[in-house]
Amino acid sequence: PITLLHLATHTSGLPRHRGEVHPANWRNPEAGYSVEQLAAGLARFRLARAPGTQYQYSNVGMEILGYAIALKAGKDYETLVRDRICRPLGMESTFVSVPPELRPRMARGHAMPGRPVPDMDFSPLCASAGLRSTANDLLKFVSACAGLTPSPLEPLLEKPEAPHALKSGAKVPLAWQSDGNFFQHSGMTYGFTANVAFDRNRRRAVVMLANCNSSLGFIQGRLGRAISAGRSPEPARTVSLAPAMLNQYAGLYRTDGGATYTVRREGAGLMVRPLNEPGERFRDDGFGVFPQSASVLYNKLWDVDAVFSRAAGGAAPRMTVAWPKFTLEAVRVSNDIPPTPDPIQVDPSIYDSFAGRYRHMLFCGLVPVGPTLIIRREDDELGAHLMAYMRCKYIAALARNQDSNDLGGTDMTGLELFPDTKTAYGPAVTLANLRLEFALNKQGKTTGLTVEANGKTFTAKRVSAKPVAWK
């Protein structure tokens, strides 16, 4: 049996994702999802372990918990959240369904910089990701959780922080990720990332929101802990350097191993950022450093310093960057700094030339094997999109494996692809370990593609120019 406590502590044994959705639009996968679909997926799923024995984060569990609470209360989940949490805390801009008069305030989500995505619609199973809010509203929430502001909900807010013992002896709180003092939770959809955190002992609270599903999602947890501890990027003790002094360090630096870094002056400090290799889609955000002396600059948030020196005889400046457990040496190879590349723009008509069905072929291209990859062009209010679908009848069988991470049951998955070049495409940066390169003949006709995924490469032949319609 799975209890409400198992659901609330992520110890139910249910998977992280549903996996068995059949959306009408893969760019808005939650639209139209029903409780009946979830029930059908649960009926097929087999637990790998007894509930209450091990922590395993589960969006599915949160959806079921929210739905169960709503059923018991006789109200929908959004009404309960607004009546029991938002209104007592003065959170007037938090909704599942944003009223029409407030929709102009909504930020546009992006799969990656320069690539907007449509707003998502959420089903009645919205407890894992369906709330839309503002930084100000969330600050009211975490301020009450941290004890910074008095709240009529204080006795209730303390309950989720209390640890609950598992059968293994480990202790976990309700829903929050915590070490006992510091509590945080992050979230991500196709177009947004979010993180809230608080520390009752230090009486600090942090909210970070981004309208982009980007690398920010990977650093928010570290940022939240650092900021809650009172650490900021700029050290308390800095010296003022003239812009000309900082500008003399700017340029392109390269390590002995071939890694390249750009150094730019930004305000009173320098910004150090790794430079991507050609075709590399995931871009590190870099870090700023602030002067401690004429040649030493420091970042307190990441505990990293950059030391600049000029060798005798007028040799090029060198940069030493030191983290607590890692140091790199680089020499300046150019005073010119390449601009940050803008997202590649292509004529959407090229998507039509890629559309079709692709199969991996054996025996001189005579025998197709494996699933069919379907490439389609789809258009909506944001423009044209290149979509990839994989028809795979054995996904449902795989889902019955005890190590499955979703409920399974589908024979189709979808993914939007974004251009790196006119012929090379990949998904959003958080899934950057996948890349498709379309092959063209001398006449410019698409003949096949090469797929690179998780370090493996395989080729597929275009067996038809007509993608299969899927309903």
Side-chain angles (χ1 to χ4, degrees):
I2 295 176
T3 68
L4 298 178
L5 183 61
H6 294 150
L7 297 174
T9 54
H10 292 289
T11 60
S12 65
L14 291 171
R16 186 181 187 92
H17 306 295
R18 298 194 214 110
E20 86 297 355
V21 294
H22 292 271
N25 180 352
W26 277 100
R27 304 183 76 240
N28 188 12
E30 297 289 327
Y33 187 79
S34 67
V35 175
E36 289 74 21
Q37 285 177 281
L38 177 64
L42 289 171
R44 291 188 296 265
F45 188 75
R46 297 293 178 267
L47 293 175
R49 63 189 66 87
T53 58
Q54 182 175 324
Y55 179 91
Q56 177 180 313
Y57 191 91
S58 175
N59 288 317
V60 176
M62 283 292 108
E63 291 171 344
I64 296 172
L65 179 61
Y67 184 66
I69 293 171
L71 280 180
K72 178 66 175 177
K75 297 181 179 180
D76 64 86
Y77 182 78
E78 178 179 23
T79 298
L80 288 175
V81 170
R82 287 188 54 76
D83 287 348
R84 298 186 179 185
I85 300 174
C86 295
R87 288 195 175 94
L89 297 181
M91 299 167 60
E92 296 301 325
S93 297
T94 300
F95 304 90
V96 172
S97 299
V98 178
E101 64 271 18
L102 296 182
R103 292 193 68 83
R105 292 175 53 194
M106 286 187 60
R108 168 64 69 188
H110 291 72
M112 54 193 294
R115 303 297 180 189
V117 294
D119 295 332
M120 292 178 64
D121 297 310
F122 288 91
S123 72
L125 298 161
C126 57
S128 69
L131 287 173
R132 295 168 170 88
S133 191
T134 65
N136 284 337
D137 263 20
L138 292 175
L139 282 170
K140 294 176 183 178
F141 176 70
V142 291
S143 294
C145 291
L148 286 167
T149 55
S151 162
L153 300 182
E154 187 166 351
L156 294 176
L157 292 175
E158 292 176 355
K159 288 186 177 181
E161 302 163 25
H164 295 266
L166 307 183
K167 294 179 181 178
S168 63
K171 294 183 178 181
V172 294
L174 302 184
W176 290 104
Q177 296 155 355
S178 170
D179 60 7
N181 295 312
F182 179 77
F183 295 81
Q184 73 170 355
H185 205 297
S186 58
M188 180 181 295
T189 64
Y190 288 153
F192 298 90
T193 54
N195 184 278
V196 295
F198 65 91
D199 189 322
R200 271 190 172 270
N201 289 343
R202 291 191 172 99
R203 293 174 60 81
R204 293 180 182 271
V206 182
V207 171
M208 288 172 284
L209 304 176
N211 65 326
C212 190
N213 180 347
S214 67
S215 59
L216 180 63
F218 294 99
I219 66 173
Q220 279 179 323
R222 290 178 60 191
L223 279 172
R225 185 177 291 275
I227 295 172
S228 72
R231 300 200 307 272
S232 65
E234 186 169 358
R237 184 182 68 84
T238 61
V239 299
S240 178
L241 296 184
M245 176 70 75
L246 291 170
N247 287 337
Q248 72 174 339
Y249 299 132
L252 199 64
Y253 290 74
R254 185 166 294 135
T255 69
D256 291 340
T260 307
Y261 290 79
T262 61
V263 177
R264 288 182 171 89
R265 180 177 69 85
E266 289 195 5
L270 296 174
M271 175 62 70
V272 181
R273 174 175 286 131
L275 185 67
N276 283 22
E277 297 297 325
E280 188 178 3
R281 309 181 72 247
F282 191 93
R283 184 171 69 87
D284 193 301
D285 291 317
F287 55 90
V289 286
F290 302 89
Q292 301 291 283
S293 69
S295 59
V296 178
L297 294 93
Y298 181 62
N299 182 304
K300 184 179 179 183
L301 186 67
W302 304 117
D303 192 15
V304 55
D305 58 32
V307 180
F308 294 87
S309 60
R310 185 180 295 275
R318 299 187 65 86
M319 175 179 67
T320 301
V321 182
W323 290 268
K325 296 182 179 180
F326 177 69
T327 300
L328 67 83
E329 302 274 351
V331 62
R332 190 166 72 184
V333 295
S334 174
N335 293 334
D336 297 325
I337 306 171
T340 301
D342 293 325
I344 297 294
Q345 303 291 339
V346 299
D347 187 338
S349 64
I350 199 172
Y351 296 164
D352 297 321
S353 67
F354 298 147
R357 303 196 299 272
Y358 295 78
R359 297 287 300 274
H360 183 54
M361 309 294 284
L362 295 179
F363 302 107
C364 300
L366 298 176
V367 180
V369 295
T372 299
L373 177 63
I374 299 170
I375 304 294
R376 293 178 54 182
R377 169 179 169 164
E378 297 181 5
D379 294 84
D380 60 20
E381 72 279 5
L382 295 177
H385 312 277
L386 189 66
M387 300 293 299
Y389 296 91
M390 181 72 79
R391 184 174 294 282
C392 187
K393 291 292 185 182
Y394 52 76
I395 288 181
L398 291 175
R400 289 192 289 270
N401 185 292
Q402 290 189 342
D403 292 328
S404 172
N405 198 32
D406 60 45
L407 297 182
T410 185
D411 65 352
M412 184 75 80
T413 56
L415 191 68
E416 183 172 7
L417 302 174
F418 301 95
D420 295 329
T421 67
K422 287 186 177 181
T423 57
Y425 292 77
V429 290
T430 49
L431 299 171
N433 57 349
L434 174 66
R435 181 181 173 90
L436 281 71
E437 177 86 36
F438 292 93
L440 310 180
N441 61 18
K442 293 182 179 180
Q443 291 73 41
K445 181 181 178 180
T446 304
T447 58
L449 57 79
T450 300
V451 179
E452 297 178 11
N454 297 319
K456 298 181 180 180
T457 302
F458 68 92
T459 59
K461 180 180 178 181
R462 191 187 193 200
V463 296
S464 173
K466 296 181 180 180
V468 174
W470 179 64
K471 299 180 179 180

